[in-house]
């Protein structure tokens, strides 16, 4: 179908598929935050999360395999490609980063600091600076194919420059806010897609 972003039409039409997919992901202990309709025709987004980077990389790989197998069971094919049509949005692998202080017992999110400008801690700002400074090198791993760059550009909600902003869809590095407190909680890196080897790209983004 050609329903728009977050439209219930796709969710209603694929209710059985989504239910089975969610159940199979749960059986593998893959934490699913949300499954929702995206902006391209019959496109879904699956949000997973983990406090451990290696666990998250494992979950992403297992989730991709599970999505493909589940789609085949229902007579469909999961494309999992950065771009399938120049007229519609492609498939990304957006990564969200926040921090915890290993030396603290409070387990607080140290990306936030309400006393600093924009509510971003010094550690959070340094991390973002490293990503942007090394962005050309990182893209070799996070956007590894020619098709990867077809997904990127103005108006594609991916960002296409080395820049950041707060709650902005058109930047490569977007700071996300808590809607209740207005504080910065984490940063989203959008120049990554489903063709990337997450075991290579994810650690490199942390390393910078």
């Amino acid at each position: 179908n050609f329903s728009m972003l977050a439209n219930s039409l796709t969710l209603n039409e694929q209710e059985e598929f989504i239910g089975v997919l969610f159940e199979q992901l749960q059986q593998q202990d893959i934490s699913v935050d949300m499954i929702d309709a995206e902006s391209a025709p019959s496109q879904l987004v699956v949000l997973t999360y983990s406090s451990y980077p290696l666990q998250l990389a494992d979950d992403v790989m297992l989730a991709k395999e599970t999505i493909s197998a589940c789609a085949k069971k229902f007579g469909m094919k999961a494309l999992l490609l950065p771009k399938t049509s120049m007229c519609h949005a492609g498939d990304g692998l957006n990564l969200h980063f926040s921090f915890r202080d290993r030396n603290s017992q409070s387990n607080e999110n140290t990306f936030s600091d309400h006393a600093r400008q924009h509510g971003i801690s010094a550690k959070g700002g340094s991390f973002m600076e490293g990503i942007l400074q090394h962005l050309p090198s990182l893209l070799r791993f996070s956007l590894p194919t020619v098709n990867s760059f077809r997904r990127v550009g103005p108006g594609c909600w991916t960002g296409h420059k080395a820049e950041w902003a707060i709650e902005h869809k058109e930047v490569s590095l977007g700071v996300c806010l808590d809607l209740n407190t207005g504080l910065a909680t984490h940063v989203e890196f959008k120049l990554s897609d489903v063709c990337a080897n997450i075991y290579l790209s994810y650690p490199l983004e942390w390393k910078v």
Side-chain angles (χ1 to χ4, degrees):
N1 65 70
F2 288 84
S3 60
M4 301 300 289
L5 175 67
N7 192 294
S8 61
L9 180 60
T10 297
L11 301 178
N12 291 335
E13 288 184 348
Q14 302 298 336
E15 179 181 1
E16 186 179 0
F17 164 73
I18 293 171
V20 171
L21 174 62
F22 178 78
E23 182 179 346
Q24 291 187 0
L25 293 173
Q26 292 286 92
Q27 289 175 357
Q28 298 173 81
D29 294 324
I30 298 175
S31 300
V32 179
D33 189 50
M34 180 180 71
I35 300 177
D36 203 357
E38 260 290 354
S39 58
S42 300
Q43 186 183 45
L44 295 171
V45 57
V46 179
L47 301 184
T48 66
Y49 62 92
S50 175
S51 299
Y52 304 97
L54 183 56
Q55 180 67 56
L56 179 61
D58 288 342
D59 288 350
V60 167
M61 294 301 296
L62 289 171
K64 288 166 65 176
E65 294 292 330
T66 305
I67 291 167
S68 295
C70 191
K72 184 177 181 180
K73 180 179 179 180
F74 280 83
M76 300 183 291
K77 182 177 178 63
L79 298 180
L80 299 175
L81 291 171
K83 200 72 170 176
T84 59
S85 168
M86 296 308 294
C87 299
H88 303 293
D91 292 337
L93 184 61
N94 294 10
L95 300 171
H96 294 248
F97 298 91
S98 60
F99 311 102
R100 299 289 186 273
D101 190 344
R102 291 185 298 179
N103 298 320
S104 172
Q105 296 182 351
S106 64
N107 201 34
E108 293 182 355
N109 182 0
T110 56
F111 183 82
S112 305
D113 186 346
H114 63 85
R116 292 178 60 88
Q117 187 180 19
H118 307 303
I120 303 170
S121 67
K123 182 182 293 185
S126 296
F127 174 78
M128 292 167 58
E129 182 181 3
I131 290 284
L132 295 177
Q133 182 178 351
H134 295 282
L135 189 59
S137 298
L138 289 174
L139 295 185
R140 298 181 182 185
F141 297 91
S142 63
L143 300 179
T145 70
V146 173
N147 196 23
S148 297
F149 286 89
R150 296 192 180 108
R151 171 180 159 264
V152 175
C156 294
W157 291 4
T158 59
H160 58 285
K161 299 178 181 178
E163 58 184 353
W164 71 276
I166 297 174
E167 291 290 350
H168 197 303
K169 290 288 187 182
E170 285 295 325
V171 294
S172 55
L173 204 57
V175 175
C176 303
L177 303 180
D178 185 308
L179 296 180
N180 294 318
T181 65
L183 292 177
T185 57
H186 62 280
V187 63
E188 178 184 13
F189 180 62
K190 302 173 187 176
L191 292 177
S192 175
D193 70 38
V194 290
C195 287
N197 182 337
I198 193 168
Y199 292 102
L200 294 177
S201 62
Y202 196 41
L204 284 171
E205 285 143 20
W206 278 111
K207 187 68 175 177
V208 299

